[in-house]
Amino acid sequence: MSTLPNNSLSDIFSDSPPASPTSKQASEPSDIPRLRSTHATNGYRDGISVSKDQALQPGFDEAYPLGAILGLRVGYVLGVLEGLCGALRSQKPLTPSTEREGGGETEAVRREEAQQSQELLAQAKEELTIEKLFGEEYWGSDGMWAYDIDRKEEEDVTFWEVADQHPMVRKWLGRARDEALRAGIRNAEEGFVGIREAGTG
């Protein structure tokens, strides 16, 4: 009985199943899978390293000025509130005679104002943390602000406008300004304007 010639078409009519992938892998030398894994790992690491070099510094250069302006605003707000707390704590206690001369102001009222000032400062420190200022509700995945900026259409948005109209910064700028004016600091409004002029000078 003659045998069929050994060619690639003879396997089509064969009853035996095709070779499985595992049998192919088993036939490979043992070093090939290890080398494949090593090259894949090294390629991944090289890709991460290159992408960091290409994106990290430009991203830092673009975001640093805005972060600095936000820091100035937050620092000014906290400075005003801390100054008011210190002023209220350092007041001399009122005696019964000075209470009458003070037009109805009492030591109890002063203590209450000092306590409210401390609570306001604590709330500001909690809401103006870096984590909350740069939270996902205010910034997109591309690093752009996700809140509206009021401006004229023909003008470009400045980082000062982005910082001033950040919802948390805008809220606390108003609170600090109101507290300063209520405490009788007449140049409080000038101070809030002056910090911007100093930063752009």
Side-chain angles (χ1 to χ4, degrees):
M1 184 176 179
S2 62
T3 59
L4 291 174
N6 185 15
N7 56 45
S8 59
L9 294 177
S10 64
D11 290 337
I12 298 176
F13 304 101
S14 174
D15 292 335
S16 61
S20 64
T22 55
S23 63
K24 181 180 179 180
Q25 291 175 359
S27 65
E28 291 181 347
S30 60
D31 283 348
I32 291 180
R34 180 181 60 80
L35 290 172
R36 184 185 297 120
S37 175
T38 300
H39 286 303
T41 301
N42 291 341
Y44 175 79
R45 288 176 179 169
D46 291 344
I48 292 293
S49 177
V50 170
S51 65
K52 282 183 178 180
D53 292 340
Q54 292 177 348
L56 188 60
Q57 189 62 45
F60 174 83
D61 293 342
E62 182 177 351
Y64 181 80
L66 176 57
I69 294 171
L70 280 169
L72 281 173
R73 282 307 201 201
V74 171
Y76 191 75
V77 168
L78 296 179
V80 168
L81 296 179
E82 287 180 351
L84 292 173
C85 286
L88 290 171
R89 286 196 308 266
S90 63
Q91 292 183 105
K92 293 181 179 179
L94 292 173
T95 62
S97 60
T98 54
E99 285 183 357
R100 289 192 296 271
E101 295 172 359
E105 184 181 24
T106 64
E107 187 62 26
V109 170
R110 281 189 172 185
R111 284 197 299 269
E112 183 179 354
E113 289 179 346
Q115 179 64 28
Q116 290 175 350
S117 180
Q118 289 283 358
E119 293 173 356
L120 190 65
L121 175 60
Q123 185 183 353
K125 287 181 176 180
E126 181 181 351
E127 294 187 6
L128 293 174
T129 60
I130 292 177
E131 293 79 11
K132 292 190 176 180
L133 283 175
F134 292 97
E136 293 181 355
E137 59 184 311
Y138 303 124
W139 305 92
S141 58
D142 58 353
M144 295 295 290
W145 49 92
Y147 50 91
D148 294 332
I149 304 294
D150 296 331
R151 65 181 179 89
K152 296 180 180 179
E153 287 296 329
E154 64 272 12
E155 296 180 357
D156 293 332
V157 176
T158 67
F159 283 157
W160 281 106
E161 291 171 327
V162 175
D164 286 346
Q165 297 186 45
H166 187 293
M168 281 292 102
V169 174
R170 182 170 56 186
K171 168 188 172 180
W172 284 102
L173 280 173
R175 293 291 299 272
R177 183 185 294 111
D178 292 344
E179 289 296 311
L181 292 173
R182 190 171 65 86
I185 302 176
R186 296 181 180 179
N187 62 345
E189 194 71 30
E190 297 175 5
F192 280 86
V193 175
I195 186 177
R196 178 169 181 171
E197 294 175 346
T200 55

